[in-house]
Amino acid sequence: MKKMFKSRKKTAEAVADNGAVAVKTLTPVKGAVGKRVKNTKAGDIPLLICVFLMACFGCLMIYSASYYTAEVQYGDKLYFVKKQLLGVVLGAAAMVGTSFLPYKKLAKIKYPAIIVSVILLALVFVPHVGITNYGATRWIGFGGVTIQPSEIAKYAYALFAAAYFAKNYEKVKTVKGVLPVLGVGILFCVLIIIEPNMSITMCVGLLMLGIIFLSGTNLKTFAIILIPFVIAVPVLIILEPYRLQRLSAFIDPWASPKDEGYQLIQSLYALGNGGLFGTGLFNSTQKYRFLPFAESDFILAIMGEELGFIGLLLFFACCAFIVWRGFKIAKNCNERFGFLLAAGFTMVYGIQVVINALVVTGTIPPTGLPLPLISSGNTSLIITMASMGVLYNISRHNSVDGLNRN
């Protein structure tokens, strides 16, 4: 009996010290209650299936929301959905690639990821490289390829913060210790807000707070960081007249039904028209050029009109499933970098879904933000699917006990 206890103790120590390496070499052992722990490396396959199905569903909704506009503007009903299908193919390839690339190697590229992101964010202001639409310069173009750098920057920041805190975990309880993460986050926020892009700035800011909180900092340090962040939000709104106009439109959209309040009113019409069960797939009326950006930022309103309240509940249940699996992968991870990386990537997805839903329903002032995996736009789609591959990768390398809890 004494020898058996020592053997189990050594096995547990091997798992704690070697992580994924121990998972490969250990043979199944019996626990204290006589249950056999499976030595498996399957990972969180349901997560990948859900993500892929959501991307395919996005193509369907993009076709429904855009075929009329696409035919009028481009003479091709499939114009937007063709581009999205290409994004799904590339995103699936990226997801498979990141699923099998050992996630711990990502920590080595934390600085290159930040440098590349800063360069891309700066390029939007370079003439003939940056692309301006509707008064905002948020994209860069090379030949026929268009990229939105802020979508890449969110995940690069999550990677950097996870790698920094994993290596410097003893410093997280002081403001000085978290300054590098704060500095990079503020730099990203400044570059994004001057595009201007208030919505992605909010995403990065909330992500920054979330990762700092999960890093294990104390409440005093977190409060010192939080107070300036809370003050900055109204200041940023006041500094730009168009943001004040959107705020007034949010408070009373019918005060300017043909100007700032128009988009929100049309979104509310779509959601109201959908009722409980919706008008049926392809039967939206708001997509006939009443609702601007029906295939991108406001595609959720078209979904609500065609699928109804019940359809939206099912959709948000799928979103919640992805977030739940992501945080569960983080919880089951046996080392800091994997935990913070999984939590960070999950927060990026969850924050963006919540903000998009709040905007479309008129809960917060209107701001342009794609619905992950659903809205038209290949940069967001590909990078989101790649991040989900990283989550799956982390789930594959969890400890034996962690995988058993999945």
Side-chain angles (χ1 to χ4, degrees):
M1 183 65 70
K2 192 173 182 180
K3 290 182 179 179
M4 186 181 295
F5 175 77
K6 288 182 178 180
S7 176
R8 289 176 183 168
K9 185 177 180 182
K10 289 180 179 179
T11 299
E13 290 173 352
V15 173
D17 292 339
N18 299 319
V21 177
V23 174
K24 293 181 181 179
T25 58
L26 289 177
T27 56
V29 297
K30 286 188 177 181
V33 295
K35 292 184 179 180
R36 187 170 293 275
V37 179
K38 293 183 178 180
N39 181 9
T40 176
K41 296 184 295 181
D44 199 331
I45 293 177
L47 173 68
L48 293 187
I49 293 174
C50 184
V51 169
F52 182 74
L53 291 178
M54 288 275 276
C56 293
F57 173 71
C59 290
L60 178 66
M61 291 310 307
I62 286 170
Y63 171 73
S64 178
S66 69
Y67 69 78
Y68 177 78
T69 301
E71 186 174 29
V72 171
Q73 290 187 349
Y74 304 101
D76 182 4
K77 287 184 177 181
L78 301 175
Y79 176 80
F80 289 103
V81 77
K82 284 178 181 177
K83 295 172 65 176
Q84 195 74 2
L85 284 170
L86 176 61
V88 171
V89 172
L90 295 176
M95 188 165 63
V96 171
T98 54
S99 293
F100 294 96
L101 175 69
Y103 74 90
K104 291 183 181 180
K105 292 185 177 181
L106 294 175
K108 297 179 180 179
I109 64 168
K110 61 181 182 295
Y111 293 118
I114 293 300
I115 292 170
V116 169
S117 296
V118 170
I119 292 173
L120 291 176
L121 288 171
L123 281 176
V124 301
F125 306 108
V126 177
H128 309 298
V129 177
I131 300 173
T132 302
N133 283 324
Y134 301 97
T137 308
R138 302 174 182 175
W139 304 266
I140 56 176
F142 300 98
V145 179
T146 303
I147 300 173
Q148 188 172 359
S150 57
E151 290 293 333
I152 299 172
K154 291 180 299 183
Y155 290 96
Y157 178 73
L159 168 61
F160 169 78
Y164 173 82
F165 283 135
K167 186 177 181 180
N168 302 279
Y169 59 89
E170 72 283 353
K171 300 179 180 180
V172 300
K173 297 187 182 299
T174 65
V175 174
K176 183 179 179 180
V178 300
L179 274 180
V181 173
L182 275 175
V184 172
I186 292 171
L187 174 61
F188 276 19
C189 287
V190 169
L191 289 172
I192 295 170
I193 196 66
I194 61 178
E195 291 179 353
N197 193 334
M198 182 71 173
S199 54
I200 300 293
T201 304
M202 288 175 60
C203 285
V204 174
L206 292 171
L207 173 65
M208 178 171 60
L209 293 176
I211 292 183
I212 290 173
F213 179 78
L214 291 177
S215 69
T217 190
N218 55 41
L219 290 178
K220 179 181 178 181
T221 301
F222 188 72
I224 293 173
I225 297 167
L226 181 62
I227 292 171
F229 179 83
V230 173
I231 295 173
V233 173
V235 171
L236 290 173
I237 293 174
I238 294 171
L239 287 177
E240 281 288 347
Y242 87 91
R243 295 192 191 113
L244 284 174
Q245 292 173 357
R246 287 189 176 183
L247 180 61
S248 63
F250 156 71
I251 296 172
D252 184 11
W254 281 271
S256 54
K258 294 183 179 180
D259 296 310
E260 289 297 327
Y262 177 81
Q263 190 173 32
L264 179 55
I265 290 173
Q266 299 305 316
S267 176
L268 295 176
Y269 280 158
L271 294 172
N273 189 37
L276 192 61
F277 298 103
T279 59
L281 192 61
F282 308 127
N283 291 330
S284 165
T285 56
Q286 291 302 103
K287 66 188 175 190
Y288 293 108
R289 309 195 79 178
F290 291 106
L291 177 63
F293 305 109
E295 76 285 348
S296 55
D297 297 345
F298 276 75
I299 196 170
L300 187 66
I302 301 300
M303 290 167 57
E305 185 178 9
E306 295 188 348
L307 305 179
F309 180 73
I310 300 300
L312 287 184
L313 281 182
L314 292 174
F315 169 73
F316 285 123
C318 293
C319 295
F321 177 80
I322 292 174
V323 172
W324 170 59
R325 298 307 296 184
F327 280 124
K328 190 167 186 178
I329 290 169
K331 175 188 173 184
N332 288 342
C333 191
N334 61 346
E335 51 89 28
R336 286 185 179 86
F337 176 63
F339 163 73
L340 290 172
L341 187 65
F345 281 6
T346 302
M347 281 192 290
V348 173
Y349 173 81
I351 289 169
Q352 196 156 329
V353 169
V354 170
I355 291 179
N356 182 274
L358 293 177
V359 167
V360 170
T361 57
T363 310
I364 62 175
T367 180
L369 184 71
L371 185 62
L373 300 174
I374 305 296
S375 291
S376 177
N378 282 350
T379 305
S380 175
L381 177 62
I382 294 169
I383 195 72
T384 301
M385 293 184 76
S387 72
M388 296 300 165
V390 174
L391 289 181
Y392 174 76
N393 190 296
I394 295 171
S395 74
R396 288 180 64 241
H397 289 83
N398 281 341
S399 67
V400 172
D401 290 337
L403 285 171
N404 189 49
R405 286 195 298 270
N406 271 340

